[in-house]
Each structure stands twice: as C-alpha cells, then as structure tokens.
Amino acid sequence: MNKLTLLGIIGLAALVMGMITPESGLMAGATGNNNSKSKNYDSNYHDDDDHHAKKNDTPSIRVYKVVINNAGNPTPSTESFGFKPIALTESGLTGYSFVEIRGDGHCPQNLGGTITLDSGQHIDCYIVNQPTPTGGVINTPPTVKIYKVVINNAGNPTPSTESFGLSINGGAALSNGTQVTLQVNTPAILNESGLSGYEFVEIRGDGHCPENLGGTITLDAGQNIICYVVNQPTNPVTPIQPGVIFHYNTMSFSFANMTYGNSCSKPGAVPPCVELANSNDGNVLVVDPKLQTDTTIVLFSVVETDKVTQSPPQFATSPICVLSGVGPHTADYAQDPDTTPVVNPSGQMGFEFQCSLIEADNFKVSYALIETQR
C-alpha cells in the first residue's frame, strides 16, 4: 500500500474514530517575534496565512497525535505520549516509535525542535508514531521524491528535468518524480548543475527539504518526503494583463532646447526619452520600450514645468496636443535630418503627439499605457 493510500485511510479513520479531532489537539501559545499582549485563541478560527492574519493576535500552535500501522489496536490517548510544547518534544510511550512531524513549514523537523511564530500565526503540527517492530528497530529506509517546476516560462516548452542536472549526493541526473532512498539520519546533498537561460528560484515541499541548492536532507527511518526545485527563465516575461495601467512615467522636454531634460538627443541618452527631431513642427515622440503594440491605449498630458512648484504656485499652461501616431524611433523619423537629426536612434517604439498654441518653452509629459489585447 503506497503512502498516499495509507494517509487517506488514516484521515478517514481520524474522522470516524475521533483519533484526529480539534478536541484531541493540544493548543499552546508559541514563541512570538513581538511583544503583543496575550489574547484568547478561538478554536473555531484558523488562519495559517502569514500575511493576512490579525497582527495583534498571540501566535498559537495545535499539536495532534497520529498513530500509523497500529494493526487495528485501540489508539493510546494523546496524553499518554507525554508531548510538551514548546520546544516540541515528547517523553515517548513504550511500544511506539517516533516517525516524523508533519504540518506547516513552521513545525520543527524532529522532536526537541523549537517553534517561532509571528504575531497572528496559528499552525497545526502532527506528531507521527507507529508501533515499534520486534527488536525495537524501524528498518524502513527513508525516501525523497524530487520534482522540477519551471515558472514564468511564457508558454514555451518546459526543458526536461534531466537537463537541469538535479542530483542527490552528486549522483546521476534525476528524472521528474524520481524517488531516492536515503540512509537513515545521514545528510544527503540536493543540488543541480543548472541549465543555461534558467535561474534557481526556491525549493518547496516538506519542511525537511533544504532551503537552497547545496543544502542537505536528513531523515529518520520510515520518513518519505517530496521536494520541488523551482526555476524560471533568466529574464522571465510577465504577460501584460488587459484593461489595467501597466506602465506610467513623467519626463521633461523643451521646444527651445534640444538637449533639455529627458531629451533623446543628449549624449548617450537611452529610452525612455523624448525625441525632438521634429519639434519645429510641434511634433514630439515619446520613446518607451514598454510600448510594444498598436492595441495600447495612451493617456497623456503636457503641462508647463516648474510653475506649480513655485511659492506661491503659478498657473501652468498646456498646449493643445493630440495623439498623432505610434512608430519606431529610427533615423528616418527626422523630417529634416540635415538640420535636426535623430542623434541616438534606439529602434524602440514611441507615441507621437502634435502640439499647437505653445506659449512656453519647457514642459513635462506625463503618460500611462493600458493594454487592450486579450
């Protein structure tokens, strides 16, 4: 019988026989990282969310006893095992051996480990025992299954797990879901050689999994865990969601000075910047790498600079400007390249607006981009 089936039977037995119930869990206040005053914990309320729990709640832990492979015998009472929070340990019960601690990642890995929680955290820990085999030794070796997870892959085919060079103790590259048998209470190193174009993100899974590559896994007899090694492309592409502002910016420019503010004509200037090659006709190109499609709504305003920030504030004028198009920032954008050339063509996209009734020299353009393509 595999472990998943066994756990399902245990959970069902818990519901029917009352072996694992809220009433059988020992609740205690855990060590906190703050000085908040004590507050009673409502047993009907459970929140294991580190970010959304009430910040003034005293952290707490509920501990359950789980007995597996008990051959249909009556389950001893929780109290008979004598476990004591916090540090989480137990004096033990004759005829039963400790197997593992399951539950939230904040639970310790082994008996005697400590628990430290932030204010408002409430977790459950399950101490697992089983009858001690004849001779008093559990001979079942521990195992770990390793899976590869690739996120933010922008719909591209996921590379094979073997191509990342996942290994235990430097052995052969593992396939996805490979189960590796470990030596009891002996550290095993989980690592990978890596794949070009992808970077390591994190390791997820049981609390016995290491936090980083090169970390070790140490298990007792009978323990079986799963670890997920997570990678993503070195430069992940985040899809633009339609209907929301995905980019905004403000830049300064001058109709009288080709190198003022955020002008693209400044030596070494790179986008985002303002191209003024055709400003004699009132045309301005706002170059921004975030603008990539013709399905983007462009909202913008052009307001005279340094007026409202004076003391006392003065009225800042705005020319009449309308969106005239979207196009690439190339040398061909200049209408008179001999007089006013594009000095630093970037090849990036930009949106152009044309202004009239220009009553000042220096302005700020503020804009927001909204994608509409689904």
Side-chain angles (χ1 to χ4, degrees):
M1 181 182 296
N2 62 40
K3 186 174 181 182
L4 292 178
T5 304
L6 176 60
L7 290 177
I9 295 173
I10 294 170
L12 180 59
L15 293 176
V16 174
M17 302 174 62
M19 186 177 75
I20 308 175
T21 67
E23 290 74 20
S24 68
L26 174 64
M27 184 181 70
T31 303
N33 292 328
N34 54 62
N35 296 316
S36 60
K37 295 182 179 179
S38 177
K39 181 176 181 180
N40 290 333
Y41 173 56
D42 182 356
S43 62
N44 293 320
Y45 167 78
H46 176 77
D47 190 345
D48 193 21
D49 189 328
D50 294 356
H51 303 290
H52 297 92
K54 297 179 180 178
K55 295 299 181 184
N56 291 326
D57 284 352
T58 298
S60 63
I61 172 176
R62 278 192 294 194
V63 183
Y64 298 89
K65 172 58 60 183
V66 179
V67 178
I68 60 176
N69 302 327
N70 206 26
N73 296 317
T75 300
S77 68
T78 299
E79 293 76 11
S80 63
F81 285 89
F83 59 79
K84 318 171 184 71
I86 309 281
L88 184 56
T89 188
E90 66 181 11
S91 56
L93 178 63
T94 301
Y96 290 85
S97 301
F98 170 76
V99 177
E100 61 181 333
I101 299 177
R102 303 171 184 166
D104 187 277
H106 293 279
C107 300
Q109 295 183 7
N110 294 293
L111 292 175
T114 58
I115 300 171
T116 302
L117 302 179
D118 290 324
S119 175
Q121 284 185 290
H122 307 292
I123 69 170
D124 293 339
C125 297
Y126 299 81
I127 302 177
V128 183
N129 294 73
Q130 68 180 12
T132 304
T134 303
V137 178
I138 299 175
N139 295 316
T140 305
T143 64
V144 56
K145 280 187 179 180
I146 308 296
Y147 290 91
K148 169 60 61 183
V149 178
V150 178
I151 60 175
N152 300 326
N153 207 28
N156 297 315
T158 300
S160 67
T161 303
E162 295 87 341
S163 63
F164 286 90
L166 270 171
S167 66
I168 296 288
N169 288 331
L174 302 177
S175 301
N176 213 33
T178 300
Q179 180 170 287
V180 180
T181 300
L182 305 181
Q183 295 184 23
V184 176
N185 294 318
T186 302
I189 300 173
L190 174 60
N191 213 339
E192 69 177 11
S193 56
L195 177 63
S196 178
Y198 290 84
E199 61 185 4
F200 170 75
V201 178
E202 63 179 337
I203 298 176
R204 303 171 182 167
D206 187 278
H208 294 276
C209 299
E211 294 184 359
N212 293 293
L213 293 174
T216 59
I217 303 171
T218 304
L219 301 178
D220 292 327
Q223 286 186 283
N224 303 281
I225 69 170
I226 298 176
C227 298
Y228 301 83
V229 181
V230 184
N231 296 72
Q232 68 178 9
T234 305
N235 297 304
V237 177
T238 302
I240 298 174
Q241 298 299 320
V244 296
I245 295 176
F246 68 89
H247 182 64
Y248 57 89
N249 198 7
T250 295
M251 293 190 289
S252 300
F253 70 96
S254 174
F255 283 105
N257 185 346
M258 291 283 290
T259 59
Y260 173 84
N262 300 104
S263 171
C264 295
S265 297
K266 279 187 173 182
V270 295
C273 59
V274 181
E275 179 56 62
L276 300 166
N278 301 325
S279 62
N280 290 337
D281 298 323
N283 293 318
V284 175
L285 183 71
V286 175
V287 184
D288 195 315
K290 294 292 185 180
L291 180 62
Q292 298 180 4
T293 74
D294 57 3
T295 58
T296 301
I297 297 174
V298 179
L299 305 177
F300 72 95
S301 65
V302 180
V303 179
E304 186 179 2
T305 190
D306 297 333
K307 282 293 186 72
V308 296
T309 56
Q310 294 181 4
S311 182
Q314 298 184 28
F315 186 82
T317 64
S318 174
I320 298 176
C321 301
V322 296
L323 184 70
S324 54
V326 176
H329 180 224
T330 63
D332 294 337
Y333 176 72
Q335 297 176 4
D336 185 3
D338 294 330
T339 305
T340 53
V342 175
V343 179
N344 298 305
S346 65
Q348 301 287 350
M349 295 291 289
F351 66 89
E352 185 190 64
F353 56 83
Q354 186 175 39
C355 297
S356 60
L357 299 180
I358 302 170
E359 298 178 359
D361 292 332
N362 303 333
F363 293 91
K364 285 184 177 178
V365 54
S366 299
Y367 58 95
L369 305 178
I370 304 175
E371 182 54 60
T372 64
Q373 186 69 51
R374 293 185 179 276

